[in-house]
Amino acid sequence: MPDLPLAVADCAIDAVAACLDAAADLAEARTGRRPDVMLDPAHVAAAVRSEALLRDRDGNGIEGFAPLSRLWRAADGWVRTHANYPWHRAALHRALGDNIETAIAARSATEVEQMVYEAGGLAVAARTKEEWRTGGPLRRIDPTGGAVRPVPLDRMRVLDLTRVIAGPVGTRMLAALGADVLRVDDPNRPELPLHAVDGTIGKASTLLDAATPDGRRTLDYLAGEADVIVTGYRPGAMRKLGLAPDQIAGRHPGKVVATLSAWGTGEIWGNRRGFDSLVQVATGIGWACSADGERPGALPCQLLDHATGYLLAAGVLEALTAGEGAHVSVSLARTARWLLDRPPGRAEEPFDPDAYRVDLGGGWTGIAPPGRFDGEPLRWPREPAYGAAAPEFTRRA
């Protein structure tokens, strides 16, 4: 792989290392002994490509992007759209009609961006690093009150309200570290086939309609039973369900609530949806990776998703070690700034993904969780089974 101007390998390693170190710190706080941590950089390189390296029994993967999720030439630059989900494709057509290429070519990139977002879709104009400014710490931890349960990770319960890649990466890593993770999805918005497998590795997965009274009651009960609640929906969406961090702290003190967003809360586009590919283009990563300076490029993997997922898990573990209820917040845009502000790093060494491939169950194979504790490799505790579990935690207090 050719050298890139961005420290992709270093950021990936640092994010995973932060998670493993935080887990070791929590183990020391709980047991009085800190396990020895080991990390293989080649394993990290495979892990941050997990969705691309997922294989069925015939050795086939699943395509991650729909045809309308791509770069388009606008009248004055470039636009990146995201239309993997059917409701996003419908919004893109509402905004631009049937001939999307012609409609984009006739307008400025920022005009297309605004039109599509107003229609409920997703599109961003390609910007340089200087044109995009966002602040805030890489991961923020704000105390919310109440003492957390002082239990080891193998007694920890995590309520996973995330989708796609970043949130599921963070919660499945918590599962690999020993937590009992229950992922909840809306049956009216089914997950895509790729993420229905890759995003449920290591977890129990259930379907729950929070728009119904029974569903709301069950979701609030699960929040009360959980030690950690992780949400990956855009800012404001959880408040409608009574699951914003301050609402949870009011009803269920002593919880660690982690929120993941694309653009960050209270910052540029804080109320908008977003995905890794869009954040890359909007924040200047696309131009930083351009091969010719004429067309935006892309990172060699969905690094923002994966690094942010591991940083989310690290923040959760740090909050648990502190012993107090807390709100942990991370965003893809902050991770993008972290990457962009670093000096150029080392190029990735060639790696064999099959060296880290494991049987996931159900005919699927994928990449094992990265890291070793006291020489023992981490393992996925459950095979992926989207929506197959009851809405309850396996382990009790």
Side-chain angles (χ1 to χ4, degrees), residues 63-72 80-86 88-89 92 192:
E63 176 57 49
F65 287 101
L68 294 182
S69 295
R70 49 165 284 195
L71 277 169
W72 307 82
R80 172 79 195 201
T81 56
H82 193 286
N84 287 0
Y85 290 94
H88 293 153
R89 288 195 291 274
L92 194 62
L192 297 172

Side-chain angles (χ1 to χ4, degrees), residues 20 36-40 43 173 175-178 355-358 367-381:
L20 294 175
D36 181 54
V37 175
M38 297 176 62
L39 185 60
D40 177 359
H43 193 167
M173 190 61 175
L177 291 165
Y356 309 102
R357 186 173 295 281
V358 294
I367 304 303
R372 291 173 177 262
F373 279 0
D374 292 333
E376 290 296 317
L378 298 179
R379 294 179 173 84
W380 300 124

Side-chain angles (χ1 to χ4, degrees), residues 230-275:
V230 183
T231 70
Y233 294 83
R234 65 186 176 91
M238 289 293 99
R239 185 165 295 280
K240 295 178 182 177
L241 298 177
L243 293 174
D246 61 313
Q247 293 172 315
I248 293 174
R251 294 195 310 279
H252 308 293
K255 307 296 182 184
V256 173
V257 181
T259 58
L260 161 75
S261 63
W263 309 106
T265 57
E267 298 169 5
I268 300 172
W269 294 354
N271 63 342
R272 289 189 175 186
R273 301 175 181 86
F275 294 89

